[in-house]
Amino acid sequence: MDEKALKIFGTILVIFLGVIASLIAWCLGGKDLEGNARETIRQMLNFEISLIILSLLSIIPFVGLVVGLVVLITNIVFGIKSFIAINNDAPFKAPGYEFVK
């Protein structure tokens, strides 16, 4: 997979596919990229894994609606921010626990 496709797959497509998109991008060559592109894809993978764990709170009545809405909005916002950062070759830091080093 070429670098441009990896950048798109690992950033903006997480809005639609979630952790699957960033995991595929990481496994198909994101870890072999250099500089800010590698770091951005890694940050998005960690962020998506953190969102999955946070989404488990959505099973709690009444809290789940709020948590689900927050997860949806943050996924869209950070997907767009990471896409802009990776295209401008700028550093990007997403909130979340560091699962992938």
Side-chain angles (χ1 to χ4, degrees):
M1 195 175 257
D2 67 332
E3 185 176 343
K4 186 175 183 178
L6 283 173
K7 288 178 179 180
I8 292 171
F9 221 82
T11 57
I12 198 73
L13 283 181
V14 298
I15 294 173
F16 305 107
L17 300 176
V19 71
I20 295 169
S22 55
L23 185 61
I24 289 172
W26 182 256
C27 291
L28 290 180
K31 58 186 166 215
D32 299 329
L33 295 176
E34 296 192 16
N36 288 330
R38 177 187 189 279
E39 183 63 19
T40 301
I41 292 174
R42 186 183 70 81
Q43 288 288 327
M44 284 307 292
L45 178 57
N46 286 326
F47 176 68
E48 290 296 322
I49 293 170
S50 298
L51 279 184
I52 286 176
I53 293 170
L54 182 63
S55 295
L56 294 176
L57 292 175
S58 65
I59 62 172
I60 301 170
F62 303 113
V63 174
L65 181 64
V66 174
V67 169
L69 189 59
V70 168
V71 166
L72 177 67
I73 291 171
T74 56
N75 195 25
I76 292 170
V77 167
F78 281 100
I80 293 170
K81 285 178 69 171
S82 67
F83 184 69
I84 291 170
I86 206 166
N87 282 328
N88 293 333
D89 199 32
F92 176 75
K93 176 75 174 143
Y97 186 76
E98 298 289 323
F99 294 102
V100 179
K101 303 273 181 193

